[in-house]
Amino acid sequence: MSEKKIVIVGGVAGGASCAARCRRLDESARILMLDRGPHVSFANCGLPYYVGGIIDDESKLLIANPALFKDRFNIEARTGNEVLSIDTAAREVEVKELASGRLYREPYDALVLSPGASPVRPPLPGIDLPGIFVVRTVPDSRRIREWIDQKNAKSAVIIGAGFIGLEMAENLVLRGLSVTIVEMLNQVMPPFDPEMARPIQEHMERHGVKLALGDGVAGFDSAAGQLVVNTQSGARHTADLVILAIGVRPETALAKAAGLQVGQRGGIRVDEQMRTSDARIWAVGDAVEVRDLVTGDWTLLALAGPANRQGRIAADAICGRNSKFCGVQGTAVCGIFGLTVAGTGASEKSLQRASVTGYETVYLHPSNHAGYYPGAKPINIKLIFRKSDGRILGAQAVGEADVDKRIDVIATAIQFGGTVFDLEESELCYAPQFGGAKDPVNYAGMIAANSIRGDVLLADWRHVPLSDSFLLDVRDPEEFETSHVPGAINLPLNRIRHRLAELPRDRELFIYCGVGQRGYYAARLLSQKGFRVKNLSGGYRTYRLLAPANSIASS
Ligand SMILES: Cc1cc2nc3c(=O)[nH]c(=O)nc-3n(C[C@H](O)[C@H](O)[C@H](O)COP(=O)(O)OP(=O)(O)OC[C@H]3O[C@@H](n4cnc5c(N)ncnc54)[C@H](O)[C@@H]3O)c2cc1C
């Protein structure tokens, strides 16, 4: 029997992991990996840090090269070779050697497409002006570095406030540039819910980044040697360079031309084994549509982890194994000026888009480790779960330390179909410098589980008519005097038992404290005394995340 020939288009995250796994499973296969770029297996995720100079040696971004693929894995990696088309009937790809222009054909028994996604470049006036960059490849980031050096650039406008936009903002500030971010939405970090994005925005502004939110780009021109970004509101932002970070689009041209099925989200449609509508062709990575584990909908997700896992699963399928891709939950993290921003699963926005109802949210603001141990930092956490059975749907967290660890735990729980009752019971690492005897993850589970069990009813600040409700602030008087919600009555937790007569029995009481804990104690006390009470989730700190500055009163 002749050896199997596996051809892989794209030699980075999905493609390279597929190639290496194919070799581990089949020593006799001929494996050819084609990439039109100058590199295989480079660290796209490190590019912003190369621009910023944290990674200063370009070679550090090159994780493997064709020689290593040959020597270690007996894989032929051909860079500078672009696949132009697929002949599915003949089972051949047509390839162009870019340096010489030579065209040739390569037959395959199994073909894997991992062409990635290309940065969106909307056809706006002036989009091709020199100095407007995208960040996808090592040469892209080298060009940005060179431009900054040659032009002695002092300012940049970044279009788009997603992960790449924020990472680029930090790195350009590190290089001494003054940075403005223009974002069409009213918030940074579009996958997040707006109230969770608020501390990120404040943090960025504290680090000197100017945010022009709620304003789309209308076009570009140049004046006095600088680029000008014109926005839909009529604003004009001048800068020495512009970074486009407004998202990516799956590279599907090859697949479409070959007649492969493409889904309604615009990605290549694959089954659980990453097989396309052609039985000999697999597709992985940013180019494919995947199932959202939480909503069950098809979605696109441009992240390195899923691309690597999918590459492995396609290799398994090609080599006769029955591995299956279980879907994505969008677990992602980003660091911005010392703040860690991480999320997993559904946001409220995504649930609303998918018309999912019957969920509840809790907010909490625990410390990353025991408060008595020096250096404790708060983490803002939002947990979303199904009310009927406590199934965890998603979580977002923002803070200066150990945020990723909490989101990773919750991500694993979501993957295993876990509930808030599981979080309540999770046994996690604890010593004073690492966590709490009740970890923030346990707290999140306990608060949610208490609500489901009816031990304490939670209220969401966004749904309580503040002007009309009986708001009971159970913090200490000094805290109340510093600032409080307008109209709230202050009755400190420690005094409640002695002053029950002051509270109305014919109205529902909405209780809040600093972060929700004293409110919980008060709610338990008062409900056992026959009062109708709800604890406002996350307390005053959540109110501050949600409320516009003018609805905060101080005495
Ligand atoms: C700046 C930046 C930062 C990122 N940071 C993170 C992060 O922190 N965490 C994270 O999880 N993800 C991050 N990502 C996303 C992550 O890099 C991608 O999800 C992942 O690389 C996708 O893998 P892929 O194999 O689908 O595509 P890619 O890694 O993009 O590889 C596709 C390759 O295919 C080649 N190709 C395309 N068409 C052809 C053709 N016709 N013929 C030959 N070759 C072709 C391209 O040249 C490219 O080299 C980042 C991405 C960028 C750009």
Side-chain angles (χ1 to χ4, degrees), residues 463-492:
H463 306 145
V464 175
L466 297 179
S467 52
D468 237 23
S469 305
F470 192 96
L471 284 179
L472 183 60
D473 183 324
V474 298
R475 296 175 301 162
D476 291 340
E478 314 80 69
E479 295 170 89
F480 184 80
E481 275 153 29
T482 305
S483 63
H484 57 263
V485 181
I489 310 288
N490 183 223
L491 180 45

PDB file of all heavy atoms in Angstrom, residues 463-492:
ATOM      1  N   HIS A 463     -32.346  46.526  37.541  1.00  0.00           N
ATOM      2  CA  HIS A 463     -33.785  46.283  37.433  1.00  0.00           C
ATOM      3  C   HIS A 463     -34.569  46.841  38.611  1.00  0.00           C
ATOM      4  O   HIS A 463     -35.771  46.609  38.721  1.00  0.00           O
ATOM      5  CB  HIS A 463     -34.045  44.770  37.284  1.00  0.00           C
ATOM      6  CG  HIS A 463     -33.271  44.157  36.145  1.00  0.00           C
ATOM      7  ND1 HIS A 463     -32.754  42.886  36.190  1.00  0.00           N
ATOM      8  CD2 HIS A 463     -32.889  44.685  34.960  1.00  0.00           C
ATOM      9  CE1 HIS A 463     -32.102  42.645  35.059  1.00  0.00           C
ATOM     10  NE2 HIS A 463     -32.165  43.725  34.304  1.00  0.00           N
ATOM     11  N   VAL A 464     -33.903  47.527  39.510  1.00  0.00           N
ATOM     12  CA  VAL A 464     -34.605  48.068  40.677  1.00  0.00           C
ATOM     13  C   VAL A 464     -34.854  49.556  40.442  1.00  0.00           C
ATOM     14  O   VAL A 464     -33.910  50.301  40.173  1.00  0.00           O
ATOM     15  CB  VAL A 464     -33.742  47.882  41.946  1.00  0.00           C
ATOM     16  CG1 VAL A 464     -34.391  48.552  43.139  1.00  0.00           C
ATOM     17  CG2 VAL A 464     -33.525  46.404  42.216  1.00  0.00           C
ATOM     18  N   PRO A 465     -36.117  49.998  40.523  1.00  0.00           N
ATOM     19  CA  PRO A 465     -36.372  51.439  40.361  1.00  0.00           C
ATOM     20  C   PRO A 465     -35.845  52.190  41.589  1.00  0.00           C
ATOM     21  O   PRO A 465     -36.487  52.208  42.642  1.00  0.00           O
ATOM     22  CB  PRO A 465     -37.897  51.522  40.249  1.00  0.00           C
ATOM     23  CG  PRO A 465     -38.417  50.228  40.782  1.00  0.00           C
ATOM     24  CD  PRO A 465     -37.318  49.216  40.783  1.00  0.00           C
ATOM     25  N   LEU A 466     -34.669  52.790  41.446  1.00  0.00           N
ATOM     26  CA  LEU A 466     -33.987  53.339  42.620  1.00  0.00           C
ATOM     27  C   LEU A 466     -34.759  54.483  43.268  1.00  0.00           C
ATOM     28  O   LEU A 466     -34.749  54.652  44.480  1.00  0.00           O
ATOM     29  CB  LEU A 466     -32.579  53.798  42.233  1.00  0.00           C
ATOM     30  CG  LEU A 466     -31.647  52.674  41.739  1.00  0.00           C
ATOM     31  CD1 LEU A 466     -30.285  53.232  41.362  1.00  0.00           C
ATOM     32  CD2 LEU A 466     -31.486  51.581  42.781  1.00  0.00           C
ATOM     33  N   SER A 467     -35.483  55.264  42.455  1.00  0.00           N
ATOM     34  CA  SER A 467     -36.149  56.438  43.015  1.00  0.00           C
ATOM     35  C   SER A 467     -37.353  56.035  43.869  1.00  0.00           C
ATOM     36  O   SER A 467     -37.798  56.774  44.728  1.00  0.00           O
ATOM     37  CB  SER A 467     -36.601  57.344  41.881  1.00  0.00           C
ATOM     38  OG  SER A 467     -37.337  56.581  40.975  1.00  0.00           O
ATOM     39  N   ASP A 468     -37.842  54.864  43.691  1.00  0.00           N
ATOM     40  CA  ASP A 468     -39.117  54.437  44.261  1.00  0.00           C
ATOM     41  C   ASP A 468     -39.013  53.331  45.279  1.00  0.00           C
ATOM     42  O   ASP A 468     -40.004  52.898  45.820  1.00  0.00           O
ATOM     43  CB  ASP A 468     -39.793  53.760  43.102  1.00  0.00           C
ATOM     44  CG  ASP A 468     -41.063  54.239  42.708  1.00  0.00           C
ATOM     45  OD1 ASP A 468     -41.331  55.371  43.005  1.00  0.00           O
ATOM     46  OD2 ASP A 468     -41.724  53.381  42.109  1.00  0.00           O
ATOM     47  N   SER A 469     -37.825  52.802  45.451  1.00  0.00           N
ATOM     48  CA  SER A 469     -37.690  51.601  46.284  1.00  0.00           C
ATOM     49  C   SER A 469     -37.160  51.985  47.653  1.00  0.00           C
ATOM     50  O   SER A 469     -36.527  53.028  47.810  1.00  0.00           O
ATOM     51  CB  SER A 469     -36.713  50.615  45.638  1.00  0.00           C
ATOM     52  OG  SER A 469     -37.119  50.323  44.340  1.00  0.00           O
ATOM     53  N   PHE A 470     -37.401  51.112  48.625  1.00  0.00           N
ATOM     54  CA  PHE A 470     -36.836  51.339  49.953  1.00  0.00           C
ATOM     55  C   PHE A 470     -35.419  50.782  49.954  1.00  0.00           C
ATOM     56  O   PHE A 470     -35.204  49.576  49.983  1.00  0.00           O
ATOM     57  CB  PHE A 470     -37.675  50.655  51.034  1.00  0.00           C
ATOM     58  CG  PHE A 470     -37.287  51.099  52.413  1.00  0.00           C
ATOM     59  CD1 PHE A 470     -37.978  52.112  53.056  1.00  0.00           C
ATOM     60  CD2 PHE A 470     -36.198  50.527  53.060  1.00  0.00           C
ATOM     61  CE1 PHE A 470     -37.594  52.537  54.320  1.00  0.00           C
ATOM     62  CE2 PHE A 470     -35.799  50.951  54.315  1.00  0.00           C
ATOM     63  CZ  PHE A 470     -36.509  51.963  54.951  1.00  0.00           C
ATOM     64  N   LEU A 471     -34.448  51.681  49.867  1.00  0.00           N
ATOM     65  CA  LEU A 471     -33.042  51.277  49.760  1.00  0.00           C
ATOM     66  C   LEU A 471     -32.405  51.362  51.132  1.00  0.00           C
ATOM     67  O   LEU A 471     -32.359  52.436  51.737  1.00  0.00           O
ATOM     68  CB  LEU A 471     -32.292  52.224  48.829  1.00  0.00           C
ATOM     69  CG  LEU A 471     -32.496  52.078  47.331  1.00  0.00           C
ATOM     70  CD1 LEU A 471     -31.665  53.135  46.607  1.00  0.00           C
ATOM     71  CD2 LEU A 471     -32.088  50.689  46.878  1.00  0.00           C
ATOM     72  N   LEU A 472     -31.903  50.235  51.593  1.00  0.00           N
ATOM     73  CA  LEU A 472     -31.315  50.198  52.925  1.00  0.00           C
ATOM     74  C   LEU A 472     -29.811  49.968  52.794  1.00  0.00           C
ATOM     75  O   LEU A 472     -29.371  48.920  52.315  1.00  0.00           O
ATOM     76  CB  LEU A 472     -31.956  49.046  53.718  1.00  0.00           C
ATOM     77  CG  LEU A 472     -31.527  48.900  55.162  1.00  0.00           C
ATOM     78  CD1 LEU A 472     -31.865  50.150  55.963  1.00  0.00           C
ATOM     79  CD2 LEU A 472     -32.209  47.675  55.778  1.00  0.00           C
ATOM     80  N   ASP A 473     -29.060  50.985  53.211  1.00  0.00           N
ATOM     81  CA  ASP A 473     -27.595  50.905  53.154  1.00  0.00           C
ATOM     82  C   ASP A 473     -27.116  50.435  54.520  1.00  0.00           C
ATOM     83  O   ASP A 473     -27.281  51.141  55.517  1.00  0.00           O
ATOM     84  CB  ASP A 473     -27.043  52.306  52.812  1.00  0.00           C
ATOM     85  CG  ASP A 473     -25.527  52.333  52.656  1.00  0.00           C
ATOM     86  OD1 ASP A 473     -24.835  51.600  53.390  1.00  0.00           O
ATOM     87  OD2 ASP A 473     -25.041  53.101  51.813  1.00  0.00           O
ATOM     88  N   VAL A 474     -26.532  49.223  54.570  1.00  0.00           N
ATOM     89  CA  VAL A 474     -26.158  48.656  55.874  1.00  0.00           C
ATOM     90  C   VAL A 474     -24.663  48.817  56.165  1.00  0.00           C
ATOM     91  O   VAL A 474     -24.111  48.127  57.013  1.00  0.00           O
ATOM     92  CB  VAL A 474     -26.589  47.175  55.985  1.00  0.00           C
ATOM     93  CG1 VAL A 474     -28.102  47.042  55.887  1.00  0.00           C
ATOM     94  CG2 VAL A 474     -25.900  46.300  54.922  1.00  0.00           C
ATOM     95  N   ARG A 475     -24.016  49.726  55.457  1.00  0.00           N
ATOM     96  CA  ARG A 475     -22.600  49.985  55.736  1.00  0.00           C
ATOM     97  C   ARG A 475     -22.475  50.884  56.977  1.00  0.00           C
ATOM     98  O   ARG A 475     -23.460  51.403  57.489  1.00  0.00           O
ATOM     99  CB  ARG A 475     -21.946  50.676  54.531  1.00  0.00           C
ATOM    100  CG  ARG A 475     -21.928  49.817  53.274  1.00  0.00           C
ATOM    101  CD  ARG A 475     -21.380  50.582  52.093  1.00  0.00           C
ATOM    102  NE  ARG A 475     -22.165  51.785  51.820  1.00  0.00           N
ATOM    103  CZ  ARG A 475     -21.752  52.815  51.093  1.00  0.00           C
ATOM    104  NH1 ARG A 475     -20.547  52.796  50.552  1.00  0.00           N
ATOM    105  NH2 ARG A 475     -22.528  53.863  50.898  1.00  0.00           N
ATOM    106  N   ASP A 476     -21.244  51.098  57.392  1.00  0.00           N
ATOM    107  CA  ASP A 476     -21.013  51.978  58.540  1.00  0.00           C
ATOM    108  C   ASP A 476     -21.270  53.426  58.128  1.00  0.00           C
ATOM    109  O   ASP A 476     -21.138  53.771  56.949  1.00  0.00           O
ATOM    110  CB  ASP A 476     -19.574  51.814  59.042  1.00  0.00           C
ATOM    111  CG  ASP A 476     -19.369  50.441  59.666  1.00  0.00           C
ATOM    112  OD1 ASP A 476     -20.388  49.825  60.037  1.00  0.00           O
ATOM    113  OD2 ASP A 476     -18.215  49.978  59.735  1.00  0.00           O
ATOM    114  N   PRO A 477     -21.609  54.295  59.112  1.00  0.00           N
ATOM    115  CA  PRO A 477     -21.960  55.678  58.773  1.00  0.00           C
ATOM    116  C   PRO A 477     -20.862  56.401  57.997  1.00  0.00           C
ATOM    117  O   PRO A 477     -21.152  57.189  57.091  1.00  0.00           O
ATOM    118  CB  PRO A 477     -22.185  56.329  60.142  1.00  0.00           C
ATOM    119  CG  PRO A 477     -22.542  55.198  61.038  1.00  0.00           C
ATOM    120  CD  PRO A 477     -21.831  53.990  60.525  1.00  0.00           C
ATOM    121  N   GLU A 478     -19.588  56.141  58.348  1.00  0.00           N
ATOM    122  CA  GLU A 478     -18.510  56.856  57.636  1.00  0.00           C
ATOM    123  C   GLU A 478     -18.517  56.507  56.147  1.00  0.00           C
ATOM    124  O   GLU A 478     -18.254  57.358  55.289  1.00  0.00           O
ATOM    125  CB  GLU A 478     -17.111  56.491  58.182  1.00  0.00           C
ATOM    126  CG  GLU A 478     -16.952  56.481  59.678  1.00  0.00           C
ATOM    127  CD  GLU A 478     -17.474  55.203  60.305  1.00  0.00           C
ATOM    128  OE1 GLU A 478     -16.880  54.137  60.104  1.00  0.00           O
ATOM    129  OE2 GLU A 478     -18.515  55.285  61.000  1.00  0.00           O
ATOM    130  N   GLU A 479     -18.786  55.239  55.840  1.00  0.00           N
ATOM    131  CA  GLU A 479     -18.834  54.833  54.430  1.00  0.00           C
ATOM    132  C   GLU A 479     -20.013  55.516  53.741  1.00  0.00           C
ATOM    133  O   GLU A 479     -19.900  56.006  52.620  1.00  0.00           O
ATOM    134  CB  GLU A 479     -19.002  53.321  54.307  1.00  0.00           C
ATOM    135  CG  GLU A 479     -17.852  52.502  54.828  1.00  0.00           C
ATOM    136  CD  GLU A 479     -18.214  51.018  54.884  1.00  0.00           C
ATOM    137  OE1 GLU A 479     -18.012  50.325  53.890  1.00  0.00           O
ATOM    138  OE2 GLU A 479     -18.724  50.575  55.936  1.00  0.00           O
ATOM    139  N   PHE A 480     -21.146  55.530  54.443  1.00  0.00           N
ATOM    140  CA  PHE A 480     -22.352  56.141  53.889  1.00  0.00           C
ATOM    141  C   PHE A 480     -22.112  57.618  53.606  1.00  0.00           C
ATOM    142  O   PHE A 480     -22.505  58.150  52.567  1.00  0.00           O
ATOM    143  CB  PHE A 480     -23.505  55.939  54.871  1.00  0.00           C
ATOM    144  CG  PHE A 480     -24.833  56.447  54.381  1.00  0.00           C
ATOM    145  CD1 PHE A 480     -25.603  55.698  53.499  1.00  0.00           C
ATOM    146  CD2 PHE A 480     -25.312  57.696  54.794  1.00  0.00           C
ATOM    147  CE1 PHE A 480     -26.836  56.163  53.041  1.00  0.00           C
ATOM    148  CE2 PHE A 480     -26.537  58.170  54.340  1.00  0.00           C
ATOM    149  CZ  PHE A 480     -27.298  57.400  53.468  1.00  0.00           C
ATOM    150  N   GLU A 481     -21.458  58.266  54.585  1.00  0.00           N
ATOM    151  CA  GLU A 481     -21.225  59.706  54.410  1.00  0.00           C
ATOM    152  C   GLU A 481     -20.293  60.003  53.239  1.00  0.00           C
ATOM    153  O   GLU A 481     -20.426  61.018  52.567  1.00  0.00           O
ATOM    154  CB  GLU A 481     -20.647  60.305  55.702  1.00  0.00           C
ATOM    155  CG  GLU A 481     -21.753  60.680  56.674  1.00  0.00           C
ATOM    156  CD  GLU A 481     -21.292  60.655  58.119  1.00  0.00           C
ATOM    157  OE1 GLU A 481     -20.086  60.900  58.358  1.00  0.00           O
ATOM    158  OE2 GLU A 481     -22.124  60.361  58.996  1.00  0.00           O
ATOM    159  N   THR A 482     -19.367  59.118  52.978  1.00  0.00           N
ATOM    160  CA  THR A 482     -18.440  59.355  51.861  1.00  0.00           C
ATOM    161  C   THR A 482     -19.209  59.399  50.553  1.00  0.00           C
ATOM    162  O   THR A 482     -19.051  60.303  49.747  1.00  0.00           O
ATOM    163  CB  THR A 482     -17.368  58.255  51.824  1.00  0.00           C
ATOM    164  OG1 THR A 482     -16.757  58.213  53.088  1.00  0.00           O
ATOM    165  CG2 THR A 482     -16.322  58.522  50.756  1.00  0.00           C
ATOM    166  N   SER A 483     -20.041  58.422  50.338  1.00  0.00           N
ATOM    167  CA  SER A 483     -20.936  58.461  49.178  1.00  0.00           C
ATOM    168  C   SER A 483     -21.932  57.317  49.283  1.00  0.00           C
ATOM    169  O   SER A 483     -21.651  56.287  49.903  1.00  0.00           O
ATOM    170  CB  SER A 483     -20.172  58.374  47.852  1.00  0.00           C
ATOM    171  OG  SER A 483     -19.508  57.148  47.758  1.00  0.00           O
ATOM    172  N   HIS A 484     -23.095  57.531  48.710  1.00  0.00           N
ATOM    173  CA  HIS A 484     -24.145  56.509  48.784  1.00  0.00           C
ATOM    174  C   HIS A 484     -25.113  56.706  47.629  1.00  0.00           C
ATOM    175  O   HIS A 484     -25.038  57.695  46.888  1.00  0.00           O
ATOM    176  CB  HIS A 484     -24.871  56.577  50.123  1.00  0.00           C
ATOM    177  CG  HIS A 484     -25.482  57.915  50.416  1.00  0.00           C
ATOM    178  ND1 HIS A 484     -24.868  58.861  51.199  1.00  0.00           N
ATOM    179  CD2 HIS A 484     -26.645  58.470  50.009  1.00  0.00           C
ATOM    180  CE1 HIS A 484     -25.630  59.949  51.269  1.00  0.00           C
ATOM    181  NE2 HIS A 484     -26.710  59.738  50.547  1.00  0.00           N
ATOM    182  N   VAL A 485     -26.027  55.768  47.521  1.00  0.00           N
ATOM    183  CA  VAL A 485     -27.030  55.875  46.464  1.00  0.00           C
ATOM    184  C   VAL A 485     -28.083  56.896  46.904  1.00  0.00           C
ATOM    185  O   VAL A 485     -28.564  56.818  48.044  1.00  0.00           O
ATOM    186  CB  VAL A 485     -27.701  54.503  46.223  1.00  0.00           C
ATOM    187  CG1 VAL A 485     -28.726  54.584  45.101  1.00  0.00           C
ATOM    188  CG2 VAL A 485     -26.651  53.446  45.918  1.00  0.00           C
ATOM    189  N   PRO A 486     -28.422  57.861  46.064  1.00  0.00           N
ATOM    190  CA  PRO A 486     -29.414  58.867  46.464  1.00  0.00           C
ATOM    191  C   PRO A 486     -30.697  58.209  46.949  1.00  0.00           C
ATOM    192  O   PRO A 486     -31.186  57.266  46.336  1.00  0.00           O
ATOM    193  CB  PRO A 486     -29.656  59.655  45.166  1.00  0.00           C
ATOM    194  CG  PRO A 486     -28.431  59.436  44.351  1.00  0.00           C
ATOM    195  CD  PRO A 486     -27.920  58.071  44.704  1.00  0.00           C
ATOM    196  N   GLY A 487     -31.213  58.705  48.081  1.00  0.00           N
ATOM    197  CA  GLY A 487     -32.471  58.200  48.623  1.00  0.00           C
ATOM    198  C   GLY A 487     -32.300  57.041  49.581  1.00  0.00           C
ATOM    199  O   GLY A 487     -33.264  56.615  50.233  1.00  0.00           O
ATOM    200  N   ALA A 488     -31.078  56.505  49.715  1.00  0.00           N
ATOM    201  CA  ALA A 488     -30.885  55.350  50.597  1.00  0.00           C
ATOM    202  C   ALA A 488     -30.937  55.775  52.066  1.00  0.00           C
ATOM    203  O   ALA A 488     -30.593  56.895  52.420  1.00  0.00           O
ATOM    204  CB  ALA A 488     -29.541  54.696  50.301  1.00  0.00           C
ATOM    205  N   ILE A 489     -31.418  54.846  52.918  1.00  0.00           N
ATOM    206  CA  ILE A 489     -31.428  55.049  54.376  1.00  0.00           C
ATOM    207  C   ILE A 489     -30.261  54.261  54.949  1.00  0.00           C
ATOM    208  O   ILE A 489     -30.062  53.111  54.567  1.00  0.00           O
ATOM    209  CB  ILE A 489     -32.722  54.453  54.995  1.00  0.00           C
ATOM    210  CG1 ILE A 489     -33.965  54.931  54.262  1.00  0.00           C
ATOM    211  CG2 ILE A 489     -32.792  54.679  56.501  1.00  0.00           C
ATOM    212  CD1 ILE A 489     -34.312  56.354  54.489  1.00  0.00           C
ATOM    213  N   ASN A 490     -29.518  54.858  55.867  1.00  0.00           N
ATOM    214  CA  ASN A 490     -28.385  54.138  56.450  1.00  0.00           C
ATOM    215  C   ASN A 490     -28.780  53.512  57.787  1.00  0.00           C
ATOM    216  O   ASN A 490     -29.217  54.187  58.712  1.00  0.00           O
ATOM    217  CB  ASN A 490     -27.203  55.107  56.652  1.00  0.00           C
ATOM    218  CG  ASN A 490     -25.968  54.390  57.181  1.00  0.00           C
ATOM    219  OD1 ASN A 490     -25.292  54.880  58.078  1.00  0.00           O
ATOM    220  ND2 ASN A 490     -25.636  53.251  56.627  1.00  0.00           N
ATOM    221  N   LEU A 491     -28.629  52.212  57.862  1.00  0.00           N
ATOM    222  CA  LEU A 491     -28.828  51.508  59.134  1.00  0.00           C
ATOM    223  C   LEU A 491     -27.744  50.433  59.179  1.00  0.00           C
ATOM    224  O   LEU A 491     -27.859  49.376  58.531  1.00  0.00           O
ATOM    225  CB  LEU A 491     -30.237  50.890  59.175  1.00  0.00           C
ATOM    226  CG  LEU A 491     -30.643  50.114  60.414  1.00  0.00           C
ATOM    227  CD1 LEU A 491     -30.257  50.819  61.698  1.00  0.00           C
ATOM    228  CD2 LEU A 491     -32.143  49.857  60.394  1.00  0.00           C
ATOM    229  N   PRO A 492     -26.656  50.706  59.910  1.00  0.00           N
ATOM    230  CA  PRO A 492     -25.513  49.784  59.863  1.00  0.00           C
ATOM    231  C   PRO A 492     -25.898  48.382  60.335  1.00  0.00           C
ATOM    232  O   PRO A 492     -26.734  48.230  61.249  1.00  0.00           O
ATOM    233  CB  PRO A 492     -24.504  50.412  60.815  1.00  0.00           C
ATOM    234  CG  PRO A 492     -24.909  51.839  60.934  1.00  0.00           C
ATOM    235  CD  PRO A 492     -26.396  51.873  60.756  1.00  0.00           C
TER     236      PRO A 492
END
